[in-house]
Every structure is written in structure tokens, then in C-alpha cells.
Amino acid sequence: MMWCDNLYPLRFRVGCDDRDEWTIVIRPVSAVRELGQAATGRGSEVLLHTGAAGELVSRLRPTEATGSIRVKGHKPHRPGAPAAYPVALASEYGRDPRAARKLPEGPLLVAVVQATGDWSLEVHPPGTVPPQQKRPGFWRRFGRS
């Protein structure tokens, strides 16, 4: 995501080898789909969250045995001001990746950075999502008090 003030031409430098496929999509924030209470999609996408703070539940149906999903939130900033680091809203890997994390109050650009399959995002009021189950196996030992 970039800030464009229309004072200068927008320029990109893209480097990849001949085997890679890539696409550049440029659209104004006014053309970005709203997240609302829920959204579904496949692959990378940017959504606009304008609502109150809550919890974002992400789910992925992987195209292979395991998959991963990464979602980041970007707060708007003034032209010329440094951009704040994005907020990690989901970063999960596994057979059935799903996560519930805090979603800041809008406006917020919600970027599905990576998703290997069909994904869904749902916005819930704060405190209404039950806590996630502990991870099985090796990591369970670190969760004990």
C-alpha cells in the first residue's frame, strides 16, 4: 500500500526472474471493498474497515494438506508523515488455520497478504469470541502455568 499525492508520477521498480508470475493492481481507497461484518475471498486482497474496535476471526480452507494465512492492518497517515508499522491481525499455518485477534477501530486497511486457499474474515464485538484451544503436542508444554 502506498500514499500517492498526485504531485508526481507514481513509479514502481519490479524485479523477478522469468519463471515468476506477478500482477500489480492500483486502485484508490474509494474502490476498495468494505469489510463490514464479514468478507470472503481467495488470495491477496485489501479491504476497508470503518467500524468500531472488535475481534477479527480469520479462517482458511487450504487448497493443499496445509495452508497459511497472513492478514495485516494499516492505519492511515498524513501525507509526509512516516507510516506506522502494520498491525498483525492473523498469521496462522496448519491443516485448518483460524485465528481470533483484536481489530482496532477504523478507519483501517485490512490486507490479506497471503492466503493459500479460500478465506473468510468475520468481525465480532469485543469479548464475544471464545478463547482459542491450546496447541497440541510439543507447544502444549509451554502453555502450562
Side-chain angles (χ1 to χ4, degrees):
M1 281 174 264
M2 302 177 60
W3 173 263
C4 178
D5 57 12
N6 292 327
L7 296 177
Y8 303 99
L10 193 58
R11 294 182 183 192
F12 293 97
R13 183 177 306 208
V14 178
C16 66
D17 67 35
D18 294 339
R19 296 171 297 182
D20 292 337
E21 293 183 28
W22 50 270
T23 304
I24 296 175
V25 177
I26 300 172
R27 58 186 145 171
V29 172
S30 60
V32 172
R33 182 166 62 127
E34 290 226 18
L35 174 58
Q37 295 301 311
T40 59
R42 184 178 188 89
S44 301
E45 187 168 351
V46 177
L47 304 162
L48 179 62
H49 170 63
T50 57
E55 292 185 60
L56 182 71
V57 176
S58 62
R59 290 188 178 94
L60 178 73
R61 278 179 260 118
T63 53
E64 299 177 8
T66 60
S68 62
I69 183 168
R70 286 189 312 135
V71 181
K72 293 184 178 184
H74 298 267
K75 284 276 191 190
H77 64 282
R78 303 187 319 270
Y85 286 105
V87 178
L89 299 175
S91 184
E92 299 296 320
Y93 176 83
R95 290 184 185 156
D96 185 21
R98 56 180 102 181
R101 296 212 185 163
K102 290 181 182 178
L103 179 66
E105 182 178 16
L108 183 74
L109 289 173
V110 177
V112 179
V113 178
Q114 176 194 14
T116 54
D118 296 324
W119 51 262
S120 67
L121 301 175
E122 295 176 10
V123 179
H124 295 272
T128 60
V129 177
Q132 292 179 304
Q133 303 232 342
K134 293 182 181 175
R135 294 182 183 223
F138 177 77
W139 295 107
R140 185 181 311 154
R141 288 183 253 163
F142 292 107
R144 293 183 183 164
S145 303

